[in-house]
Amino acid sequence: MIQTLFMAVGVEACLIVLLLVKTPFRKLLMLGIDRLKRGRGPVAVRTLAVTVFVVFASSVSSLVKIRRRSAGIEGVLGLNPTDQVLWSRYLLESSLIGLFLFLALIIDRMHGHVRELRVLKKGMKTVTQQSRMAEDTRKKVDEQLKAKEREIILLNEKISKMESDSELRIKEVKSAEANALALRKQSEGFLLEYDRLLEENQSLRDQLQSIDLQLSRSVSKKNS
């Protein structure tokens, strides 16, 4: 029994070390404990724990009985050799059982903490990936905004250039309208002058015709 308890405590100590150190064996141990806590595993573990606790209670009860038997004797050294051997045996057995139960509780708690740590690490990894994706998205959005700003700047430059061109065109149109108006006025003057010249030409023709008539009359009179 004592050797079995020593072996059990040693195994538990090794399991605790494996749970503390991040190695491939810890993954296997975690899988084994997870399977142990599924199905009928918890019932078997509880039965074993109750059995060990009953043995622990029996050892403590035996210690108390031996202590009561030696109530009239001062100290353990006053016990007879048989009681001393039994006292030492039950004391070692109860100590090992208590240590076994304590280490089992530590293993259970460490298993839960390691699982929570894994969940937290996965959550942190997911959050980190999401933050990286958000950062990449933000960078892409920033680049798109910068590209849009550059396009807006170019469009503003084009608009200012078109406005200046349109102002020049408007000035040219106004100048052309002014020239056209001046030409129209000049053409009207030319038309008036042309009409006046036509009238003068007509009057000259009339005068020439009258002179011709007079000359023809004078010639005819001389001939007669």
Side-chain angles (χ1 to χ4, degrees), residues 76-191:
V76 182
L77 296 176
L79 298 174
N80 58 51
T82 303
D83 289 339
Q84 287 182 4
V85 172
L86 291 174
W87 172 270
S88 300
R89 180 179 180 278
Y90 287 130
L91 181 62
L92 179 61
E93 185 176 331
S94 60
S95 299
L96 290 173
I97 293 173
L99 182 60
F100 174 80
L101 293 174
F102 178 70
L103 293 178
L105 181 63
I106 289 176
I107 290 172
D108 181 66
R109 291 294 86 199
M110 286 184 68
H111 172 260
H113 290 316
V114 171
R115 287 186 64 185
E116 291 177 0
L117 183 61
R118 283 185 176 180
V119 172
L120 289 174
K121 283 184 177 180
K122 289 181 180 179
M124 287 295 294
K125 187 176 181 181
T126 303
V127 171
T128 304
Q129 290 178 352
Q130 290 177 353
S131 64
R132 287 179 180 175
M133 291 175 65
E135 185 69 20
D136 294 337
T137 304
R138 187 183 64 81
K139 288 181 179 179
K140 290 180 180 178
V141 171
D142 290 339
E143 290 177 356
Q144 291 177 357
L145 288 175
K146 289 179 180 179
K148 294 294 182 182
E149 288 177 355
R150 288 194 292 269
E151 290 180 0
I152 290 170
I153 292 170
L154 292 174
L155 289 174
N156 288 328
E157 291 177 353
K158 289 181 179 178
I159 289 170
S160 61
K161 186 177 180 181
M162 290 175 69
E163 287 178 350
S164 62
D165 291 339
S166 64
E167 289 177 356
L168 290 174
R169 295 289 176 81
I170 290 170
K171 290 179 180 179
E172 290 177 356
V173 169
K174 288 182 179 179
S175 178
E177 288 178 351
N179 293 328
L181 184 60
L183 290 172
R184 185 181 296 172
K185 290 181 179 179
Q186 189 176 3
S187 64
E188 289 177 355
F190 288 156
L191 288 173

Side-chain angles (χ1 to χ4, degrees), residues 201-215:
N201 188 17
Q202 187 66 35
S203 64
L204 289 172
R205 284 181 180 179
D206 292 336
Q207 289 177 4
L208 288 172
Q209 286 179 359
S210 63
I211 291 169
D212 289 337
L213 287 173
Q214 290 176 1
L215 289 173

Side-chain angles (χ1 to χ4, degrees), residues 18-19 21-34 111 114 118:
L18 290 175
L19 287 173
V21 182
K22 187 178 180 180
T23 57
F25 296 102
R26 185 168 75 174
K27 293 182 180 180
L28 296 175
L29 181 59
M30 290 293 295
L31 290 174
I33 296 175
D34 288 336
H111 172 260
V114 171
R118 283 185 176 180

